[in-house]
Amino acid sequence: MNTADKIPVSVLNRLPDYLHFVKYMSKAEYVSSAAVAKALNLGEVQVRKDLQMVSGAGKPKVGYVRTELVSHLEAALDIHTPVSAVLVGVGHLGKALLYHDGFAEFGINIVGAVDIEDKPLHGGRKVIPPSALNEFCHDNNVTIGIITVPESQAQIVADELVAAGVKAIWNFAPTVLKVPDDITVKNANLARELAVLAVTGVRG
Amino acid sequence: MNTADKIPVSVLNRLPDYLHFVKYMSKAEYVSSAAVAKALNLGEVQVRKDLQMVSGAGKPKVGYVRTELVSHLEAALDIHTPVSAVLVGVGHLGKALLYHDGFAEFGINIVGAVDIEDKPLHGGRKVIPPSALNEFCHDNNVTIGIITVPESQAQIVADELVAAGVKAIWNFAPTVLKVPDDITVKNANLARELAVLAVTGVRG
Protein backbone atom coordinates (compact mmCIF):
# COMPACT_ATOMS: atom_id res chain seq x y z
CA MET A 1 0.00 0.00 0.00
CA ASN A 2 1.23 3.42 -0.83
CA THR A 3 -0.90 6.36 0.15
CA ALA A 4 1.66 9.10 -0.45
CA ASP A 5 -0.25 10.32 -3.50
CA LYS A 6 -3.31 11.05 -1.40
CA ILE A 7 -1.58 12.61 1.61
CA PRO A 8 -0.43 16.23 1.34
CA VAL A 9 3.29 16.85 1.94
CA SER A 10 2.49 19.04 4.96
CA VAL A 11 0.91 15.98 6.59
CA LEU A 12 3.60 13.55 5.35
CA ASN A 13 6.18 15.76 7.08
CA ARG A 14 4.61 14.94 10.44
CA LEU A 15 4.14 11.18 9.94
CA PRO A 16 7.72 10.16 10.80
CA ASP A 17 7.33 11.81 14.20
CA TYR A 18 4.01 10.06 14.82
CA LEU A 19 5.51 6.73 13.79
CA HIS A 20 8.60 7.16 15.97
CA PHE A 21 6.39 7.93 18.96
CA VAL A 22 3.76 5.20 18.57
CA LYS A 23 6.31 2.55 17.57
CA TYR A 24 9.18 3.20 19.98
CA MET A 25 8.06 5.51 22.78
CA SER A 26 4.56 4.32 23.66
CA LYS A 27 3.89 0.86 25.09
CA ALA A 28 0.14 1.24 25.55
CA GLU A 29 -2.45 -1.00 23.86
CA TYR A 30 -4.43 2.00 22.66
CA VAL A 31 -3.18 5.43 21.73
CA SER A 32 -5.34 8.51 21.22
CA SER A 33 -4.66 11.53 19.04
CA ALA A 34 -4.70 13.57 22.27
CA ALA A 35 -1.86 11.46 23.67
CA VAL A 36 0.17 11.81 20.46
CA ALA A 37 -0.45 15.56 20.38
CA LYS A 38 0.66 15.96 23.98
CA ALA A 39 3.81 13.88 23.54
CA LEU A 40 4.87 15.72 20.40
CA ASN A 41 3.79 19.18 21.54
CA LEU A 42 1.41 19.59 18.60
CA GLY A 43 -2.19 20.78 18.32
CA GLU A 44 -4.77 18.08 19.03
CA VAL A 45 -7.03 19.05 16.13
CA GLN A 46 -4.16 18.78 13.67
CA VAL A 47 -3.04 15.38 14.98
CA ARG A 48 -6.60 14.07 14.91
CA LYS A 49 -7.05 15.10 11.27
CA ASP A 50 -3.64 13.68 10.29
CA LEU A 51 -4.25 10.30 11.94
CA GLN A 52 -7.74 10.10 10.49
CA MET A 53 -6.25 10.49 7.02
CA VAL A 54 -3.84 7.62 7.66
CA SER A 55 -5.78 5.26 9.88
CA GLY A 56 -9.48 6.20 9.92
CA ALA A 57 -11.41 7.45 12.90
CA GLY A 58 -10.16 5.18 15.68
CA LYS A 59 -12.39 3.80 18.43
CA PRO A 60 -14.54 6.17 20.48
CA LYS A 61 -12.91 7.14 23.82
CA VAL A 62 -9.78 4.96 23.46
CA GLY A 63 -8.40 5.94 20.08
CA TYR A 64 -6.31 3.58 17.91
CA VAL A 65 -5.04 0.10 18.55
CA ARG A 66 -1.38 1.05 18.76
CA THR A 67 -0.01 -1.80 16.63
CA GLU A 68 -2.57 -1.06 13.90
CA LEU A 69 -1.69 2.62 13.90
CA VAL A 70 2.00 1.65 13.57
CA SER A 71 1.14 -0.49 10.53
CA HIS A 72 -0.90 2.26 8.90
CA LEU A 73 1.81 4.89 9.45
CA GLU A 74 4.44 2.50 8.09
CA ALA A 75 2.24 1.91 5.05
CA ALA A 76 1.67 5.63 4.48
CA LEU A 77 5.44 6.17 4.53
CA ASP A 78 5.93 2.91 2.61
CA ILE A 79 8.88 2.03 4.81
CA HIS A 80 8.79 -1.66 3.91
CA THR A 81 9.84 -0.86 0.36
CA PRO A 82 13.64 -0.74 0.76
CA VAL A 83 15.30 2.36 -0.70
CA SER A 84 19.00 2.58 -1.52
CA ALA A 85 20.90 5.86 -1.49
CA VAL A 86 24.39 6.85 -2.57
CA LEU A 87 26.30 9.68 -0.91
CA VAL A 88 28.76 11.84 -2.85
CA GLY A 89 31.41 13.76 -0.92
CA VAL A 90 33.00 12.05 2.07
CA GLY A 91 33.90 15.09 4.19
CA HIS A 92 32.86 15.60 7.81
CA LEU A 93 29.19 16.01 6.91
CA GLY A 94 29.26 13.07 4.51
CA LYS A 95 30.75 10.85 7.21
CA ALA A 96 28.19 12.05 9.74
CA LEU A 97 25.40 10.94 7.39
CA LEU A 98 27.13 7.65 6.52
CA TYR A 99 27.43 6.78 10.20
CA HIS A 100 23.98 8.08 11.15
CA ASP A 101 21.88 5.24 12.55
CA GLY A 102 18.43 6.75 12.04
CA PHE A 103 17.78 6.00 8.37
CA ALA A 104 17.23 2.25 8.74
CA GLU A 105 14.14 3.01 10.87
CA PHE A 106 12.54 4.26 7.65
CA GLY A 107 13.82 1.50 5.37
CA ILE A 108 16.55 3.63 3.80
CA ASN A 109 20.13 2.44 3.43
CA ILE A 110 23.11 4.47 2.23
CA VAL A 111 24.73 1.67 0.25
CA GLY A 112 27.72 3.55 -1.11
CA ALA A 113 29.92 6.63 -0.69
CA VAL A 114 31.71 8.33 -3.56
CA ASP A 115 34.75 10.59 -3.32
CA ILE A 116 37.72 11.55 -5.48
CA GLU A 117 39.97 10.41 -2.62
CA ASP A 118 39.97 6.98 -1.08
CA LYS A 119 39.27 7.50 2.62
CA PRO A 120 38.98 5.05 5.51
CA LEU A 121 35.40 4.24 6.49
CA HIS A 122 34.05 2.30 9.45
CA GLY A 123 32.61 -1.17 9.04
CA GLY A 124 34.80 -2.24 6.13
CA ARG A 125 32.94 -0.06 3.61
CA LYS A 126 34.95 1.29 0.70
CA VAL A 127 34.89 4.68 -1.00
CA ILE A 128 33.79 4.41 -4.62
CA PRO A 129 35.66 6.50 -7.22
CA PRO A 130 33.49 8.95 -9.24
CA SER A 131 34.15 6.99 -12.43
CA ALA A 132 32.29 4.03 -10.96
CA LEU A 133 29.21 5.99 -9.79
CA ASN A 134 26.97 5.19 -12.74
CA GLU A 135 27.61 1.45 -12.69
CA PHE A 136 27.32 1.32 -8.91
CA CYS A 137 23.93 3.04 -8.96
CA HIS A 138 22.55 0.71 -11.63
CA ASP A 139 23.97 -2.43 -9.98
CA ASN A 140 22.52 -1.48 -6.59
CA ASN A 141 19.19 -0.01 -7.69
CA VAL A 142 20.10 3.35 -6.14
CA THR A 143 17.20 5.82 -6.30
CA ILE A 144 18.39 8.60 -3.95
CA GLY A 145 21.56 10.68 -4.26
CA ILE A 146 22.91 12.64 -1.31
CA ILE A 147 25.16 15.58 -2.21
CA THR A 148 27.71 16.60 0.42
CA VAL A 149 30.36 18.08 -1.87
CA PRO A 150 31.31 21.79 -1.87
CA GLU A 151 28.99 24.27 -3.61
CA SER A 152 31.23 24.51 -6.68
CA GLN A 153 30.90 20.77 -7.38
CA ALA A 154 27.24 20.28 -6.54
CA GLN A 155 25.71 20.80 -10.00
CA ILE A 156 28.25 18.49 -11.65
CA VAL A 157 27.47 15.79 -9.11
CA ALA A 158 23.72 16.33 -9.55
CA ASP A 159 24.08 15.84 -13.32
CA GLU A 160 26.01 12.61 -12.72
CA LEU A 161 23.42 11.34 -10.26
CA VAL A 162 20.58 12.07 -12.68
CA ALA A 163 22.49 10.29 -15.45
CA ALA A 164 22.95 7.35 -13.07
CA GLY A 165 19.19 7.05 -12.67
CA VAL A 166 18.41 8.49 -9.24
CA LYS A 167 14.90 9.85 -8.78
CA ALA A 168 15.49 12.09 -5.76
CA ILE A 169 18.37 14.24 -4.50
CA TRP A 170 19.06 15.42 -0.95
CA ASN A 171 21.30 18.43 -1.47
CA PHE A 172 23.43 19.82 1.38
CA ALA A 173 25.31 22.32 -0.84
CA PRO A 174 24.05 25.92 -0.65
CA THR A 175 23.11 26.04 -4.29
CA VAL A 176 19.97 25.64 -6.39
CA LEU A 177 20.36 22.58 -8.60
CA LYS A 178 19.03 22.45 -12.15
CA VAL A 179 17.48 19.05 -12.71
CA PRO A 180 14.80 17.55 -14.96
CA ASP A 181 11.20 18.01 -13.81
CA ASP A 182 10.77 14.38 -12.78
CA ILE A 183 13.60 14.54 -10.23
CA THR A 184 12.65 15.55 -6.67
CA VAL A 185 15.21 17.76 -4.91
CA LYS A 186 15.21 18.53 -1.20
CA ASN A 187 17.66 21.15 -0.03
CA ALA A 188 19.10 20.76 3.46
CA ASN A 189 20.97 23.96 4.08
CA LEU A 190 22.30 23.84 7.60
CA ALA A 191 23.57 27.42 7.74
CA ARG A 192 20.26 28.86 6.61
CA GLU A 193 18.34 26.76 9.13
CA LEU A 194 20.51 28.12 11.91
CA ALA A 195 20.24 31.68 10.54
CA VAL A 196 16.45 31.52 10.79
CA LEU A 197 16.61 30.04 14.30
CA ALA A 198 18.95 32.88 15.32
CA VAL A 199 16.63 35.60 14.04
CA THR A 200 13.44 34.07 15.44
CA GLY A 201 14.84 32.85 18.76
CA VAL A 202 17.70 35.14 19.68
CA ARG A 203 18.02 38.27 17.57
CA GLY A 204 14.30 38.91 17.10
CA MET B 1 17.39 47.41 12.53
CA ASN B 2 15.59 44.23 13.22
CA THR B 3 12.49 43.50 11.24
CA ALA B 4 12.06 39.87 12.27
CA ASP B 5 9.02 40.72 14.37
CA LYS B 6 7.20 42.01 11.33
CA ILE B 7 8.19 39.31 8.86
CA PRO B 8 6.36 35.96 8.99
CA VAL B 9 8.53 32.89 9.56
CA SER B 10 7.47 31.48 6.17
CA VAL B 11 9.10 34.52 4.54
CA LEU B 12 12.11 34.55 6.89
CA ASN B 13 12.80 30.97 5.81
CA ARG B 14 13.44 32.19 2.27
CA LEU B 15 15.57 35.25 3.10
CA PRO B 16 18.86 33.39 3.58
CA ASP B 17 18.56 32.03 0.04
CA TYR B 18 17.82 35.47 -1.37
CA LEU B 19 20.76 36.92 0.53
CA HIS B 20 23.17 34.20 -0.59
CA PHE B 21 22.16 34.78 -4.20
CA VAL B 22 22.24 38.59 -4.33
CA LYS B 23 25.39 38.85 -2.21
CA TYR B 24 27.56 36.09 -3.65
CA MET B 25 26.14 34.85 -6.92
CA SER B 26 24.98 37.99 -8.72
CA LYS B 27 27.42 40.71 -9.81
CA ALA B 28 24.86 42.97 -11.50
CA GLU B 29 24.19 46.57 -10.44
CA TYR B 30 20.44 45.97 -10.37
CA VAL B 31 18.60 42.79 -9.55
CA SER B 32 14.90 42.15 -10.18
CA SER B 33 12.56 39.84 -8.33
CA ALA B 34 12.16 37.99 -11.63
CA ALA B 35 15.91 37.31 -11.74
CA VAL B 36 15.95 36.11 -8.14
CA ALA B 37 12.92 33.89 -8.77
CA LYS B 38 14.54 32.35 -11.85
CA ALA B 39 17.87 31.71 -10.12
CA LEU B 40 16.27 30.10 -7.09
CA ASN B 41 13.54 28.24 -8.98
CA LEU B 42 10.76 29.99 -7.05
CA GLY B 43 7.54 31.67 -8.13
CA GLU B 44 7.97 35.28 -9.23
CA VAL B 45 4.89 36.55 -7.38
CA GLN B 46 6.14 35.09 -4.12
CA VAL B 47 9.63 36.53 -4.51
CA ARG B 48 8.20 39.95 -5.41
CA LYS B 49 6.05 40.02 -2.27
CA ASP B 50 8.91 38.81 -0.08
CA LEU B 51 11.38 41.40 -1.36
CA GLN B 52 8.79 44.16 -1.11
CA MET B 53 8.38 43.33 2.58
CA VAL B 54 12.12 43.59 3.15
CA SER B 55 13.20 46.32 0.75
CA GLY B 56 10.18 48.19 -0.62
CA ALA B 57 9.03 48.23 -4.20
CA GLY B 58 12.30 48.60 -6.12
CA LYS B 59 12.69 50.76 -9.23
CA PRO B 60 10.31 50.24 -12.15
CA LYS B 61 11.77 47.98 -14.88
CA VAL B 62 15.20 47.44 -13.25
CA GLY B 63 14.33 46.26 -9.74
CA TYR B 64 16.60 46.77 -6.75
CA VAL B 65 20.07 48.29 -6.45
CA ARG B 66 21.81 45.05 -5.59
CA THR B 67 24.00 46.44 -2.78
CA GLU B 68 20.96 48.05 -1.14
CA LEU B 69 18.99 44.83 -1.33
CA VAL B 70 21.92 43.00 0.29
CA SER B 71 21.86 45.52 3.15
CA HIS B 72 18.13 45.20 3.65
CA LEU B 73 18.24 41.39 3.64
CA GLU B 74 21.17 41.45 6.10
CA ALA B 75 19.17 43.80 8.32
CA ALA B 76 16.06 41.64 8.18
CA LEU B 77 18.13 38.63 9.26
CA ASP B 78 20.09 40.87 11.67
CA ILE B 79 23.32 39.15 10.66
CA HIS B 80 25.53 41.95 11.98
CA THR B 81 24.52 41.14 15.55
CA PRO B 82 27.01 38.38 16.36
CA VAL B 83 25.49 35.23 17.84
CA SER B 84 27.46 32.62 19.79
CA ALA B 85 26.43 28.98 19.93
CA VAL B 86 27.66 26.01 21.93
CA LEU B 87 27.46 22.45 20.62
CA VAL B 88 26.93 19.47 22.94
CA GLY B 89 27.94 16.03 21.71
CA VAL B 90 31.11 15.75 19.65
CA GLY B 91 30.27 12.69 17.55
CA HIS B 92 30.40 12.55 13.76
CA LEU B 93 27.46 14.92 13.36
CA GLY B 94 28.77 17.28 16.03
CA LYS B 95 32.14 17.45 14.28
CA ALA B 96 30.47 18.03 10.93
CA LEU B 97 28.67 21.06 12.37
CA LEU B 98 31.79 22.33 14.18
CA TYR B 99 33.77 22.24 10.94
CA HIS B 100 30.94 23.56 8.76
CA ASP B 101 32.00 26.83 7.18
CA GLY B 102 28.57 28.24 6.32
CA PHE B 103 27.48 29.70 9.67
CA ALA B 104 29.84 32.70 9.63
CA GLU B 105 28.00 33.98 6.54
CA PHE B 106 25.07 34.67 8.88
CA GLY B 107 27.07 36.04 11.81
CA ILE B 108 26.86 32.85 13.86
CA ASN B 109 29.86 31.27 15.53
CA ILE B 110 30.02 27.91 17.33
CA VAL B 111 32.36 29.06 20.09
CA GLY B 112 32.57 25.84 22.07
CA ALA B 113 31.98 22.09 21.97
CA VAL B 114 31.04 20.02 25.01
CA ASP B 115 31.53 16.29 25.47
CA ILE B 116 32.08 13.83 28.29
CA GLU B 117 35.24 12.69 26.49
CA ASP B 118 38.12 14.92 25.51
CA LYS B 119 38.49 14.54 21.75
CA PRO B 120 40.92 16.08 19.30
CA LEU B 121 39.47 19.02 17.31
CA HIS B 122 40.89 20.93 14.38
CA GLY B 123 42.24 24.44 14.80
CA GLY B 124 43.47 24.07 18.35
CA ARG B 125 39.95 24.14 19.81
CA LYS B 126 39.37 22.20 23.01
CA VAL B 127 36.44 20.07 24.12
CA ILE B 128 34.76 21.52 27.22
CA PRO B 129 33.68 19.08 29.96
CA PRO B 130 29.94 19.11 30.83
CA SER B 131 30.71 20.48 34.31
CA ALA B 132 32.03 23.70 32.71
CA LEU B 133 29.06 24.26 30.37
CA ASN B 134 27.20 26.77 32.52
CA GLU B 135 30.22 28.97 33.18
CA PHE B 136 31.34 28.76 29.55
CA CYS B 137 27.94 29.89 28.29
CA HIS B 138 27.80 32.85 30.64
CA ASP B 139 31.42 33.88 29.99
CA ASN B 140 30.92 33.73 26.22
CA ASN B 141 27.39 35.14 25.98
CA VAL B 142 26.15 31.92 24.37
CA THR B 143 22.51 32.19 23.27
CA ILE B 144 22.12 29.09 21.07
CA GLY B 145 22.64 25.47 22.09
CA ILE B 146 23.09 22.75 19.49
CA ILE B 147 22.22 19.23 20.65
CA THR B 148 24.01 16.38 18.88
CA VAL B 149 23.96 13.81 21.67
CA PRO B 150 22.02 10.51 21.48
CA GLU B 151 18.24 10.60 22.02
CA SER B 152 18.54 9.28 25.60
CA GLN B 153 20.69 12.26 26.64
CA ALA B 154 18.92 15.04 24.76
CA GLN B 155 16.45 16.19 27.45
CA ILE B 156 19.17 16.30 30.12
CA VAL B 157 21.35 18.41 27.83
CA ALA B 158 18.41 20.68 26.97
CA ASP B 159 17.77 21.29 30.68
CA GLU B 160 21.45 22.16 31.19
CA LEU B 161 21.43 24.52 28.22
CA VAL B 162 18.32 26.30 29.48
CA ALA B 163 19.90 26.62 32.93
CA ALA B 164 22.99 28.06 31.25
CA GLY B 165 20.89 30.82 29.70
CA VAL B 166 20.51 29.87 26.03
CA LYS B 167 17.45 31.26 24.28
CA ALA B 168 17.25 28.86 21.35
CA ILE B 169 18.02 25.17 20.81
CA TRP B 170 18.80 23.39 17.54
CA ASN B 171 17.99 19.77 18.35
CA PHE B 172 19.32 16.93 16.18
CA ALA B 173 18.09 14.16 18.51
CA PRO B 174 14.85 12.45 17.44
CA THR B 175 12.97 13.52 20.54
CA VAL B 176 10.55 16.25 21.55
CA LEU B 177 12.21 18.44 24.15
CA LYS B 178 10.30 19.93 27.06
CA VAL B 179 11.50 23.49 27.55
CA PRO B 180 10.06 26.71 29.02
CA ASP B 181 7.78 28.73 26.72
CA ASP B 182 10.36 31.46 26.09
CA ILE B 183 12.90 29.03 24.60
CA THR B 184 12.73 28.48 20.83
CA VAL B 185 13.42 24.92 19.70
CA LYS B 186 14.08 23.88 16.12
CA ASN B 187 14.22 20.17 15.45
CA ALA B 188 16.54 18.99 12.70
CA ASN B 189 15.74 15.35 12.29
CA LEU B 190 17.82 14.03 9.43
CA ALA B 191 16.21 10.58 9.21
CA ARG B 192 12.71 12.00 9.01
CA GLU B 193 13.73 14.49 6.32
CA LEU B 194 15.08 11.64 4.24
CA ALA B 195 12.01 9.48 4.95
CA VAL B 196 9.75 12.19 3.51
CA LEU B 197 12.02 12.65 0.48
CA ALA B 198 11.89 8.89 -0.10
CA VAL B 199 8.11 8.72 -0.02
CA THR B 200 7.54 11.83 -2.15
CA GLY B 201 10.35 11.28 -4.66
CA VAL B 202 10.93 7.54 -4.89
CA ARG B 203 8.28 5.41 -3.23
CA GLY B 204 5.29 7.61 -4.16
Side-chain angles (χ1 to χ4, degrees):
Chain A
M1 180 178 132
N2 180 347
T3 54
D5 287 343
K6 289 170 265 166
I7 300 177
V9 175
S10 58
V11 178
L12 281 176
N13 277 325
R14 291 187 288 269
L15 300 192
D17 284 323
Y18 299 157
L19 178 57
H20 187 78
F21 174 72
V22 299
K23 189 170 179 181
Y24 297 107
M25 310 303 283
S26 171
K27 304 282 172 225
E29 189 180 351
Y30 290 94
V31 62
S32 65
S33 39
V36 174
K38 184 156 187 282
L40 300 180
N41 204 16
L42 293 171
E44 198 180 322
V45 174
Q46 184 179 67
V47 174
R48 196 185 322 126
K49 284 182 184 168
D50 290 349
L51 294 185
Q52 192 152 6
M53 203 175 289
V54 170
S55 194
K59 299 192 183 190
K61 312 237 168 148
V62 292
Y64 299 89
V65 175
R66 190 174 60 82
T67 51
E68 287 179 14
L69 184 55
V70 167
S71 297
H72 288 152
L73 287 164
E74 289 181 343
L77 289 166
D78 197 19
I79 74 163
H80 296 299
T81 302
V83 167
S84 295
V86 69
L87 178 142
V88 185
V90 187
H92 292 289
L93 181 60
K95 279 193 183 168
L97 294 171
L98 279 174
Y99 300 147
H100 195 68
D101 59 6
F103 303 130
E105 181 179 331
F106 299 104
I108 302 163
N109 191 9
I110 304 178
V111 294
V114 176
D115 203 289
I116 46 173
E117 275 179 68
D118 192 14
K119 299 177 184 185
L121 294 179
H122 294 188
R125 286 195 279 189
K126 284 198 173 299
V127 167
I128 301 155
S131 59
L133 171 68
N134 198 296
E135 193 181 346
F136 180 85
C137 288
H138 285 107
D139 288 352
N140 292 277
N141 194 23
V142 168
T143 50
I144 293 184
I146 302 173
I147 298 181
T148 45
V149 296
E151 183 172 0
S152 61
Q153 301 300 306
Q155 183 62 54
I156 299 165
V157 170
D159 294 343
E160 289 170 353
L161 287 167
V162 170
V166 309
K167 295 178 185 170
I169 292 176
W170 200 18
N171 172 37
F172 284 83
T175 192
V176 177
L177 301 173
K178 311 280 185 200
V179 297
D181 285 346
D182 59 339
I183 307 292
T184 305
V185 175
K186 183 159 193 164
N187 292 307
N189 191 310
L190 295 169
R192 294 168 207 190
E193 296 273 315
L194 188 54
V196 173
L197 179 60
V199 77
T200 53
V202 178
R203 289 161 161 161
Chain B
M1 178 179 132
N2 179 346
T3 54
D5 288 343
K6 288 169 268 168
I7 301 176
V9 174
S10 58
V11 178
L12 280 175
N13 277 326
R14 292 187 288 270
L15 301 191
D17 285 324
Y18 298 157
L19 177 59
H20 188 78
F21 174 71
V22 300
K23 189 170 179 181
Y24 297 106
M25 308 305 282
S26 170
K27 303 284 173 225
E29 189 180 351
Y30 290 94
V31 61
S32 66
S33 39
V36 175
K38 184 157 186 282
L40 300 180
N41 204 17
L42 294 170
E44 199 181 321
V45 173
Q46 183 178 68
V47 173
R48 196 187 319 127
K49 284 183 185 169
D50 290 350
L51 295 184
Q52 194 153 3
M53 204 175 289
V54 170
S55 193
K59 299 192 185 189
K61 314 242 164 143
V62 292
Y64 299 89
V65 176
R66 189 175 58 82
T67 51
E68 287 180 12
L69 184 56
V70 167
S71 297
H72 288 151
L73 287 164
E74 290 182 342
L77 288 166
D78 198 19
I79 74 162
H80 296 299
T81 302
V83 167
S84 295
V86 69
L87 179 143
V88 185
V90 187
H92 292 289
L93 181 58
K95 278 192 183 168
L97 294 170
L98 279 174
Y99 300 149
H100 195 68
D101 60 6
F103 303 129
E105 183 179 329
F106 299 103
I108 301 162
N109 191 9
I110 304 178
V111 294
V114 176
D115 205 287
I116 46 172
E117 275 180 68
D118 194 14
K119 298 178 185 184
L121 294 178
H122 294 187
R125 285 194 279 187
K126 283 197 176 297
V127 167
I128 301 155
S131 59
L133 172 66
N134 198 297
E135 192 182 348
F136 180 84
C137 288
H138 285 106
D139 288 352
N140 292 277
N141 194 23
V142 168
T143 51
I144 293 183
I146 303 172
I147 297 180
T148 47
V149 295
E151 183 172 1
S152 61
Q153 300 300 306
Q155 183 62 55
I156 298 164
V157 169
D159 294 342
E160 289 170 352
L161 288 167
V162 170
V166 308
K167 295 178 185 169
I169 292 176
W170 199 17
N171 172 37
F172 285 81
T175 191
V176 177
L177 301 173
K178 311 281 185 199
V179 297
D181 285 346
D182 59 338
I183 307 293
T184 306
V185 174
K186 184 161 193 163
N187 293 307
N189 191 310
L190 295 168
R192 296 169 205 191
E193 296 273 316
L194 188 54
V196 173
L197 179 61
V199 77
T200 53
V202 177
R203 291 163 160 159

